[in-house]
Structures are given as C-alpha cells and as structure tokens.
C-alpha cells in the first residue's frame, strides 16, 4: 500500500470493554499506530445504534435528491455517510463477534446501508457487479467455539460475499476461536491472533 494508507476499523461487540473482537481491533490499532504511516478511524456500529433497515429508509434511496422530502433526506444521509466513509479508506477492518452463528445484527444494519444498488454495486444481466475498487479487507473474528474451516462457519462466507458484492475481494481473516472453551485455549487463541494481526499490519 502507499504511504498514508487509510484504515477504517469497524467494531461491533455488544460486550463493551470486555469484547474480545474489540480487543483484537485495539491490538490492530496499537500496532498500526506504531508504524506511523497509517491513518486510522473507528466506526463502532454498536455506539451508533443503527436501526434495522426499513421501508421508509429504503424508499429514500429510490427517489432523486431533488424529490426527497426533508425526512427522506435525513434517512438517506445515514447510508450516504457510511458509504462515503468506506470509499474514503483503503483498508476496511471488520472486528466481528460470532453471535448465534452469525454477525451482530447491528453489523448487518451497517452492511444493509453500505451495500446499496447504484452506489456500491450495480445489477447487470450477468448478475451484480461491485463498484468499490482497490480496497482490501481484514476480518478479526472472535468466537466462543471453534468453527473456522468447518461447514458450521456460515459467518465467514456471509461476510466474504457481502464484501465481494461491493467488489472487495481481497480479504484476510484472523480468528480467535474457542474463547469460551477454557482459559488455556483462550490465551493461546488470543496470543496467536495477536501475532497474525502484527503480520497483517506489517503487510499493509
Ligand atoms: C448472544 C451471544 C451469542 C453467541 N453465540 C455464539 C455462537 O453461536 N457460537 C460461538 O462460537 N460463540 C458464541 N458466542 C460467544 C461469542 O462468540 C464470544 O463471547 C466472543 O468473544 C464474542 O465476541 P465479542 O467478545 O467481541 O463480543 C455468543 C455470545 C453471545 C453474547
């Protein structure tokens, strides 16, 4: 990457300061700051408390700016701002807890606003085409159990395909797994994940 690479860190743990994915994101930030040539911004989708995407907000995207009511302008601005933030960064780091085999619903609410036809992807006769070029993504996953590489891991393909829909196909993943399977396993998993994060930061 070029000097002054811009990194957006998206956090989504509901466990506050105890969030393990937050801990991974913070380690990423610490190591990244030591480099001195990376600009970091954090988007905490839990603090943002994004509501589920509903019809009114969706409808606000489907009319031109001139046609929008004041309320529709406000609703459309949510997604516009989140998309602009993604476009403004070179690397998107997603710190993702596993909740009930999936992603936090607040993170889904973020994706629902960032994945927008006509803005970040478009439909063609051959299927959707991503409109977001030249970015890479890093997934920092925290999980109570162990799923990576198994058929039970439906979370990773979901994230991979949502990023892919926008055109972000370069994805590196670090998983801290087995965090609820005993202290020893947890310590090893976190320490391994930290090392992998350090290698990834060095690769930016
Ligand atoms: C509501 C909830 C649901 C969870 N579901 C799963 C699950 O399906 N599979 C799993 O391995 N761990 C599950 N866990 C454990 C979390 O993955 C683990 O606590 C992890 O550290 C969550 O990330 P966080 O600490 O960043 O919030 C769940 C935890 C919570 C709070």
């Amino acid at each position: 990457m070029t000097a002054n690479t811009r990194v957006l860190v998206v956090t989504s743990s509901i466990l506050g300061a105890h969030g393990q994915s937050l801990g991974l994101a913070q380690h990423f930030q610490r190591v990244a700051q030591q480099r001195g040539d990376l600009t970091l911004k954090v988007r905490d989708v839990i603090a943002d408390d994004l509501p589920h995407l509903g019809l009114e907000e969706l409808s606000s995207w489907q009319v031109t700016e001139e046609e929008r009511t004041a309320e529709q302008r406000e609703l459309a601005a949510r997604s516009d701002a989140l998309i602009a933030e993604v476009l403004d960064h070179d690397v998107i780091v997603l710190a993702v807890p596993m909740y009930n085999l999936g992603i936090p619903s607040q993170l889904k609410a973020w994706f629902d606003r960032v994945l927008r036809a006509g803005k970040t992807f478009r439909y063609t006769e051959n299927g959707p085409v991503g409109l977001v070029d030249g970015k890479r993504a890093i997934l920092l996953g925290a999980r109570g159990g162990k799923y990576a590489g198994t058929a039970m891991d439906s979370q990773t393909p979901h994230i991979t395909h949502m990023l892919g829909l926008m055109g972000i196909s370069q994805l590196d993943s670090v998983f801290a797994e087995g965090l609820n399977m005993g202290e020893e396993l947890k310590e090893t998993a976190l320490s391994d994940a930290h090392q992998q994060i350090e290698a990834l930061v060095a690769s930016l």
Side-chain angles (χ1 to χ4, degrees):
M1 286 265 169
T2 53
N4 225 343
T5 296
R6 296 172 64 77
V7 183
L8 178 66
V9 181
V10 181
T11 59
S12 59
S13 171
I14 62 170
L15 300 182
H18 301 290
Q20 297 293 350
S21 61
L22 189 67
L24 298 180
Q26 286 167 344
H27 187 67
F28 182 100
Q29 286 169 258
R30 264 194 305 276
V31 181
Q33 268 156 4
Q34 284 163 8
R35 272 187 49 153
D37 60 346
L38 302 174
T39 304
L40 292 153
K41 182 175 184 189
V42 177
R43 164 68 44 208
D44 180 352
V45 298
I46 305 300
D48 288 350
D49 203 16
L50 282 175
H52 292 160
L53 178 64
L55 179 60
E56 286 185 10
E57 192 170 343
L58 185 70
S59 304
S60 76
W61 305 347
Q62 291 163 342
V63 288
T64 64
E65 276 179 41
E66 295 71 37
E67 287 168 340
R68 278 181 194 145
T69 63
E71 192 194 354
Q72 283 177 323
R73 271 201 294 279
E74 211 174 297
L75 287 172
R78 259 186 209 152
S79 157
D80 287 346
L82 294 175
I83 289 173
E85 191 171 62
V86 167
L87 297 179
D88 191 39
H89 289 82
D90 307 295
V91 182
I92 314 298
V93 177
L94 299 173
V96 185
M98 177 179 276
Y99 296 146
N100 298 319
L101 302 175
I103 64 174
S105 56
Q106 293 90 340
L107 183 60
K108 180 61 166 56
W110 179 84
F111 268 114
D112 284 342
R113 290 176 173 87
V114 166
L115 295 172
R116 191 164 143 197
K119 293 267 184 191
T120 52
F121 71 95
R122 66 188 172 86
Y123 291 109
T124 73
E125 285 175 1
N126 301 317
V129 173
L131 299 174
V132 180
D133 293 327
K135 304 202 188 294
R136 72 183 275 192
I138 295 174
L139 165 61
L140 306 178
R143 298 159 170 197
K146 286 183 150 202
Y147 301 98
T150 76
M152 286 284 285
D153 183 8
S154 54
Q155 190 197 52
T156 308
H158 188 206
I159 293 169
T160 305
H161 293 309
M162 286 193 290
L163 291 168
L165 184 59
M166 290 191 274
I168 304 176
S169 55
Q170 189 183 354
L171 173 66
D172 293 290
S173 301
V174 173
F175 297 110
E177 289 202 308
L179 299 180
N180 295 350
M181 294 170 67
E183 271 313 303
E184 204 177 317
L185 202 54
K186 177 178 169 181
E187 272 178 33
T188 309
L190 290 174
S191 149
D192 286 352
H194 282 198
Q195 278 181 29
Q196 290 174 54
I197 287 169
E198 287 152 29
L200 273 175
V201 171
S203 77
L204 293 179

